[in-house]
């Protein structure tokens, strides 16, 4: 025996703990109406995990808990414990005895226990399904539900048979796999959409990273070029500086020397600038000399004239004296006349040498006076006074002569002095003229040399200027390079230029290289710099990092997707396998049931035929399944996408032309359903079967047949029969009587058959 006992406590009318032991193949429960017999059957459903309160004849979970009665307080919880003998391990759990318990509290919470340990409902269902005890309740036929299997639609009927055949476990697995598959497919969609979402970002980042890598390459190339260029440039500048210095130094020295020479020459020439004043001086001395000579001449002439006059006066005095002594009528002495003529000639001589008109006038006046004086002297009487006057005149003239002679002496001295001065000046001027000529020659030479040097210095200075510009440019480029490619660009001193074949160049080769070569390199570098700047250089590391992270994420998603696809495939395979297994087992099960069904049916009706057939119907025609259509035996309806498989029942009563369930009488329906239930139970016998007044509609003859079948059935499953039927009771090994007192509490008592018959009545 598998079923040992049931303990009911606080469940429905069982306000007090009641235990029913089932250590016989057939146990019977009898009692008057309303005493609580069906509550026992429901206690079985309850403990096996029934979730529908309605099918337990309640509205709420609370309805399952003893509500109290007269002198009996209501319970807070309802509990039912079913105890199995598991020595044969009909339940897949390593205990010889297994107690399954369910408790429901007033707050509607349910608790499940296996051997006192709390478990989930799922664990109970799994454990029981392995022993062909299912939640669909095929082994518990409630009161009035005997023909439930006939009234069900094809799908419900199929589920019931699957349950009875122990296929529920596969069905559950399949359902779970389908749920998992749905979830997996949802995840696949999510992962695919995630990958789709990040794909453009990855593409963008990839391009950016390629650009960055390209830039890094360009930077590397540029750095190498910088090293070569900077080193060459620095060597060139160093060399040029020294070369210019070497060239410029002697030129500057020469220039300084020439400057000195120039100053000297200029000084010499500057002196000649006084030449004009000296010439003026010469002219001045010349003029003075000339004036002095004229003065001298005039003085000498005056002295001559005065001497003439004095002589003349002396003669006149003589004449006077003679006149005075001689006759008054006197002739003029020729010598006197000649003397006068001489005086006049002298005067005229003075005129011929002078162009001065006033002088001429003066001479004429003096000639006039000479003549007048002569006439006067001759006219005069010989008197003393005239002689005195003449002597006074002579005295006066001699004074004048003396004055003139003194002046003449001074003029002579002055002339000598001026002549000397003149000669000196003339001499000096000549000498200066010579040295000026030399200085001028030097000046020309110096200027020419200076021009030459200046030209050379100018060319060196323009080289210097270019070099300065080159040096500034180098510094600027160094600065720019350190910003653009980093400080590594400044480590050019560690490198030495090589030729295209990698041969190390000499310093001379480096510095003598045509500048155009460096310029060409600079242009190439400039182009790379522009490309680098255009590409932008900031945030490169972040982009690479982000690209790495994003691609890693994408790879992770890709792997996840692969895993999901794999698991979806394996789930599909599993579902397929389960479906195949279900289909095969189901077909095999149905075939076996059909054999039993036919036997029980013909045993019940004394002939006829009954068959279960597998049918497929479209889902939308589901309502039709309530009224199953006739079909040709076990032939399977062609598969349709939206179709579902179900079970149809075909019966044919002996000696009657009745075909189809609809046309059966109440008793015939009860017998058919009992035959089917028994057939199902025979094929895959559950450990126990509870039949709640399944025999109620049977007449005496049928009750007998029913009793025989029960005996047959009890060989495979323990039977618990709730009945009022005497025939049925007679086959029980133990009979429990259920009574309900005035307190509304159901009570149990083990009774004898006779008592039972009594009670049942
Ligand atoms: P019958 O022979 O007429 O089918 P029965 O013996 O099968 O009757 P049950 O249907 O099992 O009787 O029991 C019904 C009784 O149980 C009713 O009297 C009902 O009042 C009682 N009952 C049901 N639920 C509760 C509950 N929660 N608390 C107390 N009594 C309850």
């Amino acid at each position: 025996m598998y079923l040992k006992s049931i303990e009911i406590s606080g469940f429905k009318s069982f306000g007090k703990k009641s235990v029913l032991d089932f250590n016989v193949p057939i146990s019977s429960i009898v009692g008057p109406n309303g005493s609580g017999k069906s509550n026992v059957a429901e206690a079985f459903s309850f403990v096996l995990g029934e979730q529908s309160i309605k099918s337990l004849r309640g509205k709420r979970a609370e309805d399952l808990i003893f509500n109290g009665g007269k002198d009996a307080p209501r319970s807070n919880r309802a509990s039912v414990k079913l105890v199995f003998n598991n020595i044969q391990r009909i339940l897949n759990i390593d205990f010889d005895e297994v107690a399954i318990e369910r408790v429901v509290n007033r707050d509607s919470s349910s608790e499940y226990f296996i051997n006192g340990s709390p478990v989930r409902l799922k664990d109970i269902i799994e454990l029981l399904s392995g022993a062909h005890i299912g939640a669909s309740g095929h082994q518990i036929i409630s009161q009035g539900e005997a023909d439930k299997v006939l009234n069900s639609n094809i799908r419900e009927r199929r589920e019931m048979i699957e349950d009875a055949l122990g296929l529920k476990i596969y069905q559950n697995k399949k359902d779970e796999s389908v749920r998992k598959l749905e979830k997996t497919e949802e995840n696949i969609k999510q992962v695919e959409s995630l990958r789709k979402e990040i794909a453009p970002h990855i593409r963008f980042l990839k391009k950016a990273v390629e650009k960055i890598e390209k830039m890094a390459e360009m930077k590397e190339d540029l750095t190498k070029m910088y090293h070569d260029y900077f080193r060459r440039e620095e060597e060139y500048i160093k060399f040029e500086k020294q070369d210019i210095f070497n060239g410029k130094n002697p030129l500057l020295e020469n220039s300084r020397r020439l400057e000195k020479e120039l100053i000297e020459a200029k000084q010499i020439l500057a002196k000649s600038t006084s030449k004009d004043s000296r010439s003026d001086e010469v002219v001045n001395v010349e003029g003075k000399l000339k004036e002095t000579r004229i003065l001298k001449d005039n003085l000498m002439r005056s002295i001559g004239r005065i001497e003439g006059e004095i002589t003349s006066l002396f003669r006149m005095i003589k004449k006077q004296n003679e006149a005075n002594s001689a006759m008054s009528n006197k002739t003029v002495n020729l010598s006197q006349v000649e003397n006068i003529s001489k005086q006049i000639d002298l005067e005229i001589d003075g005129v011929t040498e002078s162009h001065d008109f006033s002088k001429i006038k003066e001479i004429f006046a003096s000639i006039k006076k000479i003549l007048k004086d002569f006439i006067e002297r001759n006219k005069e009487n010989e008197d003393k006074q005239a002689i005195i006057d003449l002597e006074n005149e002579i005295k006066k003239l001699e004074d004048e002569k003396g004055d003139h002679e003194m002046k003449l002496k001074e003029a002579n001295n002055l002339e000598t002095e001026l002549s000397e001065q003149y000669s000196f000046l003339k001499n000096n001027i000549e000498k200066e003229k010579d040295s000026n000529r030399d200085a001028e020659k030097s000046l020309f030479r110096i200027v020419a040399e200076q021009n030459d040097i200046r030209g050379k210095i100018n060319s060196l200075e323009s080289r210097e200027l270019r070099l300065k510009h080159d040096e500034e440019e180098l510094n600027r480029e160094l600065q720019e390079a350190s910003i653009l490619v980093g400080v590594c660009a400044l480590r050019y001193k560690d490198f030495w230029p090589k030729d295209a074949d990698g041969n190390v160049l000499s310093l001379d080769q480096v510095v003598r290289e045509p500048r155009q070569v460096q310029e060409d390199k600079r242009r190439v570098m400039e182009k790379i710099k522009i490309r680098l700047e255009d590409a932008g250089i900031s945030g490169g590391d972040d982009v690479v990092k982000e690209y790495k992270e994003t691609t890693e994420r994408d790879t992770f998603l890709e792997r996840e997707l692969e895993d999901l696809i794999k698991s979806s495939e394996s789930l599909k395979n599993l579902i397929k396998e389960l479906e195949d297994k279900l289909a095969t087992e189901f077909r095999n099960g149905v075939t076996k049931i059909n054999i039993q069904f036919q036997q029980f049916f013909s045993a019940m009706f004394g002939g006829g035929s009954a068959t279960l057939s597998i049918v497929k119907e479209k889902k939308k025609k589901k309502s039709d399944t309530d009224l199953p259509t006739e079909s040709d035996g076990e032939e399977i309806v062609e598969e349709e996408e939206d179709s579902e498989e179900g079970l149809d029942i075909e019966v044919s009563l002996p000696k009657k032309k009745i075909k189809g369930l609809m046309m059966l009488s109440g008793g015939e329906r009860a017998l058919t359903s009992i035959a089917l239930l028994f057939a199902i139970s025979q094929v895959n016998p559950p450990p126990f079967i509870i039949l709640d007044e399944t025999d109620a509609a049977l007449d005496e003859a049928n009750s007998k047949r029913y009793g025989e079948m029960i005996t047959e059935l009890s060989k495979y499953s323990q039977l618990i029969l709730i009945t009022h039927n005497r025939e049925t009771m007679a086959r029980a090994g133990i009979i429990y009587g259920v009574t309900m007192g005035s307190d509304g509490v159901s009570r149990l008592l083990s009774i004898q058959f006779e008592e039972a018959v009594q009670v049942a009545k």
Side-chain angles (χ1 to χ4, degrees), residues 9 12 56 124 296 338 605:
S9 175
K12 290 214 164 180
L56 297 173
I124 304 262
K296 217 174 96 184
E338 280 173 352
F605 291 98

Side-chain angles (χ1 to χ4, degrees), residues 59 141 237 262 362 390 408 442 476 512 549 578 605 665 694 708 747:
K59 282 182 184 166
I141 310 301
I237 289 168
L262 185 70
E362 218 178 276
L390 283 169
L408 184 63
S442 296
R476 190 188 63 72
R512 302 264 178 228
E549 284 170 0
L578 287 167
F605 291 98
S665 73
T694 330
E708 281 160 11
R747 285 189 178 79

Side-chain angles (χ1 to χ4, degrees), residues 57 114 128 246 397 556 562 569 602 632 674 691 717 727:
R57 293 183 298 163
I114 293 177
L128 293 172
N246 291 346
L397 283 169
F556 169 77
E562 279 169 18
E569 289 305 317
S602 54
D632 303 329
I674 289 163
L691 301 170
S717 302
E727 192 64 42

Side-chain angles (χ1 to χ4, degrees), residues 10-15 29-42 56-57 61-69 74 106 143 692-693 722-724 738 740 743-746:
F11 182 79
K12 290 214 164 180
S13 56
F14 289 87
I29 299 170
V30 299
N33 290 134
S35 59
K37 303 183 295 296
S38 293
N39 289 344
V40 175
E42 278 163 3
L56 297 173
R57 293 183 298 163
E62 265 197 309
D63 296 339
L64 305 179
I65 304 169
F66 178 64
N67 211 20
R74 66 176 202 161
R106 287 215 174 263
Q143 195 177 3
D692 188 356
E693 296 187 39
I722 298 165
T723 186
H724 292 286
V738 184
M740 185 180 276
D743 55 359
V745 178
S746 297

